[in-house]
Amino acid sequence: MSVWAGRRVVLGVSGGIACYKSCTLARRLTEAGAQVDVVLTQAAAEFIRPPTFEALTGRPVLGSLWEPGGALSHVRLGHAADLVIVAPATAHLVARLAQGLADDLLTTLLLAATAPVLLAPAMNDEMYAHPQTRANLERLAARGIALVGPEVGALAEGPSERPGRMSEPEIIMAHAARCLRGTAGPLRGRRVVVTAGPTRESIDPVRVVTNRSSGKMGYRVAEAAWERGADVVLITGPVALPAPVGVRVMRVETTTELEAAVREALPAADVLVMAAAPADFRPSDPSDSKRARHDGALAVPMEPTVDILSATRSERRAGSVIVGFALETGDAMAKGRAKLERKDLDLIVVNDALEPGAGFDVETNRVALLDREGTARILPLQSKRQVAEGILDAVERILGR
Ligand code: CTP
């Protein structure tokens, strides 16, 4: 089930040109299952008329304490909300909030709100750089208000090399999900290291040996762990996926580079999720020059690469949770159990590449989770994101033991 299903979100919109993007944000939140109450400042209502937001959210839009339904709506909405997002948060809104002013419905509601608050500032770059704005934002951050952006990029008045532009709706949604979920739970503040994707090994300067791993499973785990409040490092082989929001990404190419990155990250890791599919073999003597086709048949002698999970065992932090994967073709459970023991893992995610909907380069997966205690949990066929949540639930159970 989506993190947004049944959640009550107040989306405050203050008056800046970036509020055209708030329409998309309101729509995305609604589509994801949230109940979205939009509150407009007077200036915001000059940019976007209330019926636009009403059509996008299917709910009445509030703008004033004095209109029908407005009386006490600040208290009602403020108390009922699971999350308050203000996007865009203009320099003026930020200043009013930092001072604790309550001179309209949105600022009054923000004082009455008990839920987490996320601001997406957007303003002219000079206004953002102004010491007063900086001080206001610092004060709000010190009060526990979460901030996303602003980013560098085009502003209404032209391109800018300095921040001012409101973050895109997808980025605001990712931060909002972390505000909703990441305030409690065993992964909050923990360092989670995730590996993802294939590695590739050179045959010659233009040819490589690799495998079919798409990296999707690892990327979904990294994304979900960050949403749960973890500090996430994603070590990734070459894949065609966008970096997950909030996650520190390290790129590697070969199994040796992956091993070095894991070795470096492991001593600080509370959790390692080894979802990568490192190349198990590499050409033992890669050629320095391109081998021509007319030279005839090519035999490439291969040597095994290092088993990273086993080789880095001594770098593991005491009490850390180590998760491996086993993609098998037949007899998966028994092979998975043997791998868990051989690699000294706390949890292994087992799947069978021959099953429809499971394995490489598909959106779904059907896995079983085996732990050290001998417990086996079989998850249904579901999206890789849902599988990622199932894996992290199991990790949290182990952390909580
Ligand atoms: N793995 C690893 N180092 C490698 C290969 C794999 O650490 N060189 C990790 C994978 O990231 C995965 C787990 O080990 O979490 C199992 O991967 P798999 O390829 O099934 O393991 P192998 O040890 O290569 O097993 P097999 O003998 O079946 O090839």
Side-chain angles (χ1 to χ4, degrees):
M1 196 166 69
S2 152
V3 53
W4 295 106
R7 298 305 194 116
R8 301 194 57 158
V9 178
V10 170
L11 174 59
V13 181
S14 58
I17 182 56
C19 60
Y20 80 93
K21 295 198 230 174
S22 314
C23 299
T24 306
L25 180 59
R27 187 63 183 169
R28 295 264 189 281
L29 288 164
T30 307
E31 280 168 352
Q35 178 183 301
V36 184
D37 287 304
V38 174
V39 177
L40 299 177
T41 65
Q42 210 180 349
E46 295 291 330
F47 280 98
I48 315 261
R49 310 299 302 157
T52 305
F53 284 110
E54 279 172 7
L56 292 170
T57 62
R59 299 191 47 86
V61 168
L62 292 164
S64 161
L65 286 160
W66 310 114
E67 68 200 16
L72 284 184
S73 51
H74 59 296
V75 179
R76 186 174 46 80
L77 280 177
H79 283 173
D82 295 306
L83 176 70
V84 181
I85 305 173
V86 183
T90 59
H92 184 52
L93 189 281
V94 166
R96 287 193 290 150
L97 195 52
Q99 293 304 317
L101 298 185
D103 55 356
D104 66 359
L105 177 56
L106 181 54
T107 46
T108 312
L109 180 151
L110 281 160
L111 280 188
T114 46
V117 175
L118 172 68
L119 302 186
M123 61 199 73
N124 161 274
D125 52 354
E126 265 117 22
M127 291 169 83
Y128 181 64
H130 194 286
Q132 186 62 62
T133 307
R134 312 302 311 210
N136 290 340
L137 285 166
E138 271 162 33
R139 180 185 270 197
L140 292 173
R143 242 186 249 160
I145 287 182
L147 301 169
V148 48
E151 287 163 27
V152 172
L155 297 171
E157 56 275 30
S160 170
E161 297 299 308
R162 296 188 301 176
R165 184 183 164 86
M166 187 172 90
S167 299
E168 294 304 314
E170 291 68 27
I171 303 215
I172 297 176
M173 282 213 29
H175 280 258
R178 181 167 156 110
C179 285
L180 258 187
R181 305 180 74 194
T183 49
L187 280 177
R188 180 183 149 76
R190 301 282 195 145
R191 166 64 65 92
V192 175
V193 176
V194 183
T195 69
T199 60
R200 60 184 183 203
E201 307 288 343
S202 294
I203 296 173
D204 66 25
V206 295
R207 300 184 181 94
V208 293
V209 180
T210 186
N211 60 58
R212 292 184 193 280
S213 168
S214 65
K216 283 177 190 155
M217 195 61 248
Y219 274 60
R220 297 290 94 88
V221 171
E223 201 174 88
W226 185 76
E227 235 180 66
R228 291 181 185 219
D231 166 17
V232 183
V233 177
L234 172 64
I235 306 172
T236 176
V239 296
L241 296 173
V245 174
V247 166
R248 187 153 70 86
V249 177
M250 293 173 67
R251 295 184 192 280
V252 295
E253 176 143 351
T254 63
T255 298
T256 306
E257 286 171 16
L258 179 60
E259 183 201 355
V262 169
R263 206 175 270 289
E264 196 190 314
L266 214 39
D270 296 302
V271 179
L272 170 68
V273 181
M274 192 75 186
D280 283 326
F281 296 94
R282 66 172 167 232
S284 31
D285 190 16
S287 166
D288 293 339
S289 55
K290 185 185 166 195
R291 160 82 190 236
R293 190 159 50 90
H294 64 251
D295 290 342
L298 174 64
V300 182
M302 306 275 271
E303 63 186 19
T305 56
V306 65
D307 175 350
I308 299 171
L309 276 172
S310 302
T312 56
R313 210 184 290 192
S314 61
E315 321 286 326
R316 295 178 189 172
R317 185 174 172 163
S320 61
V321 177
I322 308 294
V323 183
F325 282 68
L327 175 63
E328 307 293 349
T329 49
D331 209 8
M333 294 293 256
K335 287 180 185 162
R337 165 91 35 223
K339 248 171 217 180
L340 176 137
E341 278 160 23
R342 196 166 71 237
K343 296 182 186 237
D344 190 16
L345 306 175
D346 299 289
L347 188 74
I348 192 156
V349 184
V350 182
N351 64 1
D352 194 323
L354 301 181
E355 276 204 40
F360 283 157
D361 218 8
V362 287
E363 295 303 327
T364 54
N365 212 349
R366 186 201 305 271
V367 304
L369 305 179
L370 309 183
D371 69 14
R372 249 187 225 283
E373 265 70 61
T375 316
R377 252 173 237 270
I378 296 168
L379 305 185
L381 179 69
Q382 50 191 358
S383 71
K384 286 191 172 170
R385 177 55 196 250
Q386 287 167 318
V387 174
E389 298 288 354
I391 293 168
L392 293 177
D393 286 344
V395 167
E396 288 192 340
R397 276 194 293 272
I398 298 171
L399 279 171
R401 268 181 202 152

